[in-house]
Amino acid sequence: MKKHSVWVLEYSRSPVHPVSGVFYGAHNQGTMNLPFSYVLIKIGDAVVLVDAGHDAGDFGGRIADSIGVTGWTHPSVVLAECGVSPEDVTHVILTHAHFDHAGGLKYFPNAQIYMQRKELESWMWILSKGPRFRSLQAGLNPADVLYLTQANTEGRLTLVDGVYSDVVPGVHLRPAFDTHTAGSQYVVVETAPGSRLVLSGDVIYTYRNLVGDDLDHRQFIPPGLANGSQTRLIETAEEMMSIVDDDYRHVIPMHEEKLHEYYPSKLTAGGLRIVEIALAAEDESRV
Amino acid sequence: MAGFRYLCTAASDDSTVREQLTQLGELLAIVSFLKLASDTRGLSIQSPLLHERAEALLRAVSGRRDRQWTDDIAAHGHFHLMSARSQLEKALSALRRGKLTGHVKVMTLLTGARSELERASALLGAAIFDASSCCAIHTNVEETNEKAFCLGA
């Protein structure tokens, strides 16, 4: 019997994301659709959000506009599809600090925020290195750093060192250092005894990153965008696969457009997709 | 470079003020991180290097204070940038004083600087940080071009 409900909630999308950012070595392949999502987990009274999206009314919105992101929808509208308000969110887990994952934190004023200590330290190191390292700063919104600082003064920031078990019962954090970013992490959800989901963050963008182009001859294709190394991305993908007993469908990539081919889903009135990954025994379906 | 002369046109006003916006965005991140580090035990950071970088950014922006602007929007944006710079400089100075620093004061200064950067950003239609290497739009695939690396005669 499942204890957790898990939904992937699309909040905006880019119809023109460079393919080369998603698949290493995919030169000259133009652009692709890329949904932007966060993941909602409910267990008992706990309401956990994995990543917070970006803020369209802020600097992050200006960047999003400039790179073709459309359809941004306020978290109050997105979460309402699952009967939750932003104020109900008790925990936000940041897989990493890029603007499209950390920029929406201000909408969740009651949440305790969890991120890897190394993620913060690495951004500080990059900034200390000056303009020659500017390309490594890409995607970090200074306003998000200020928000994290504010949350820290309010006692709402928890810095994690590596593996962290039971943020709430059955929800665990695993480090993915030197992959997409230096201090990335991913989330393991034990939905029932012996049944696990992996929420991959940007270590895996799509299923193609996990299995390649031929299910009979699988190979990892790491994402193109990495401050860390392609080798570490592949090693971490292998680690994820071992957690889900090699069933790639139990790894949940937040930028995967075809999740609805594997799990029940619906389109909202605004044209954004909600995918129901797991449903707790006491919960009602939202799709 | 010998013979180079900087022309103070509206176009160069625009690029100058946009660069200042980016530099002050970077400074906001650095001073925010320094504040976070001062409140948090066990963070391994290069504090002297961050302070050094913050000083370099302050110098880089202040060096253009006496500029005569030919573009009204750039001038208006510059006004907000200088206000942000002033607040970031005060926050940095307060952080250097360590334990005497009230966190409310520093957070007020940082929040004020952020608002000024937001105003400048809106005026200039530019962001305070870069995402070109992670998500820039490429609507056309790269073309084969034998002269792509034409270095000139």
Side-chain angles (χ1 to χ4, degrees):
Chain A
M1 185 180 292
K2 285 189 167 55
K3 297 178 292 181
H4 303 74
S5 293
V6 180
W7 294 277
V8 177
L9 306 174
E10 185 184 357
Y11 71 89
S12 68
R13 61 175 39 237
S14 170
V16 288
H17 194 85
V19 174
S20 60
V22 179
F23 304 110
Y24 180 63
H27 309 302
N28 300 309
Q29 294 183 23
T31 60
M32 61 185 282
N33 262 321
L34 196 78
F36 286 65
S37 307
Y38 29 75
V39 182
L40 177 66
I41 305 169
K42 281 177 67 183
I43 174 171
D45 293 333
V47 179
V48 182
L49 207 57
V50 178
D51 290 325
H54 70 265
D55 178 13
D58 196 344
F59 304 108
R62 201 155 290 119
I63 279 286
D65 291 345
S66 74
I67 60 174
V69 175
T70 61
W72 184 87
T73 304
H74 194 285
S76 62
V77 176
V78 176
L79 292 178
E81 296 283 349
C82 294
V84 169
S85 78
E87 290 76 17
D88 296 335
V89 175
T90 54
H91 303 72
V92 171
I93 297 168
L94 293 182
T95 60
H96 62 292
H98 278 155
F99 78 97
D100 57 317
H101 295 257
L105 282 173
K106 75 174 188 186
Y107 293 112
F108 310 104
N110 301 318
Q112 188 71 23
I113 301 161
Y114 291 76
M115 67 187 300
Q116 290 288 332
R117 183 187 306 273
K118 184 172 179 178
E119 180 72 351
L120 275 188
E121 290 176 344
S122 69
W123 287 111
M124 292 191 209
W125 174 79
I126 289 166
L127 285 164
S128 77
K129 298 297 282 184
R132 288 187 298 173
F133 281 58
R134 207 179 241 183
S135 70
L136 289 180
Q137 293 177 21
L140 180 71
N141 183 351
D144 298 342
V145 181
L146 176 56
Y147 189 85
L148 287 170
T149 304
Q150 179 67 47
N152 189 48
T153 67
E154 296 165 1
R156 293 196 297 115
L157 179 63
T158 299
L159 297 178
V160 174
D161 295 304
V163 173
Y164 189 100
S165 297
D166 292 316
V167 173
V168 299
V171 175
H172 315 301
L173 311 181
R174 298 284 181 97
F177 293 161
D178 301 317
T179 57
H180 182 64
T181 63
S184 281
Q185 63 181 348
Y186 62 94
V187 180
V188 178
V189 186
E190 290 186 288
T191 54
S195 178
R196 298 188 193 94
L197 294 168
V198 166
L199 311 178
S200 65
D202 280 1
V203 175
I204 297 295
Y205 274 58
T206 74
Y207 283 129
R208 186 169 177 239
N209 295 124
L210 272 181
V211 299
D213 294 318
D214 183 350
L215 277 175
D216 295 327
H217 302 89
R218 296 182 190 182
Q219 62 172 308
F220 299 120
I221 303 175
L225 174 59
N227 277 10
S229 81
Q230 307 301 327
T231 304
R232 283 291 303 137
L233 280 161
I234 286 177
E235 287 176 338
T236 308
E238 185 181 42
E239 183 181 293
M240 290 177 181
M241 290 295 278
S242 72
I243 290 170
V244 297
D245 297 327
D246 219 32
D247 185 345
Y248 73 92
R249 295 167 302 177
H250 290 169
V251 176
I252 310 300
M254 297 163 70
H255 289 296
E256 173 57 80
E257 193 180 21
K258 295 178 180 172
L259 272 178
H260 64 93
E261 293 180 7
Y262 300 86
Y263 296 95
S265 75
K266 75 169 186 184
L267 281 176
T268 67
L272 299 174
R273 192 171 288 281
I274 292 173
V275 183
E276 194 164 270
I277 306 294
L279 196 61
E282 72 275 13
D283 242 330
E284 62 177 289
S285 174
R286 301 290 177 170
V287 299
Chain B
M1 184 191 299
F4 179 80
R5 192 163 65 89
Y6 192 78
L7 297 176
C8 187
T9 63
S12 65
D13 276 356
D14 189 60
S15 60
T16 299
V17 82
R18 280 169 183 253
E19 175 60 15
Q20 289 179 335
L21 179 66
T22 305
Q23 288 172 319
L24 288 172
E26 192 177 332
L27 185 59
L28 174 65
I30 289 173
V31 182
S32 297
F33 268 138
L34 285 167
K35 167 66 178 148
L36 198 160
S38 76
D39 295 338
T40 309
R41 280 187 182 179
L43 269 184
S44 170
I45 68 160
Q46 304 291 331
S47 189
L49 283 178
L50 278 173
H51 274 284
E52 202 174 287
R53 179 72 189 132
E55 292 293 347
L57 287 164
L58 283 171
R59 283 194 302 276
V61 176
S62 68
R64 294 154 182 156
R65 188 173 284 170
D66 58 352
R67 185 182 184 119
Q68 297 299 308
W69 299 96
T70 58
D71 177 77
D72 286 345
I73 291 176
H76 190 181
H78 184 254
F79 169 81
H80 289 296
L81 292 179
M82 287 304 102
S83 177
R85 183 195 178 281
S86 169
Q87 294 184 73
L88 289 170
E89 187 173 30
K90 287 175 186 166
L92 189 63
S93 174
L95 281 169
R96 265 205 211 89
R97 291 197 294 272
K99 290 183 178 177
L100 297 176
T101 303
H103 93 82
V104 173
K105 179 187 174 188
V106 173
M107 288 309 299
T108 302
L109 288 165
L110 289 173
T111 305
R114 181 201 174 287
S115 299
E116 292 292 0
L117 289 178
E118 175 60 38
R119 291 188 185 101
S121 173
L123 273 167
L124 300 166
I128 62 169
F129 69 102
D130 177 52
S132 57
S133 69
C134 64
C135 346
I137 298 174
H138 302 288
T139 51
N140 300 306
V141 297
E142 297 120 332
E143 296 175 39
T144 303
N145 186 345
E146 292 174 357
K147 295 182 180 176
F149 296 101
C150 177
L151 299 176

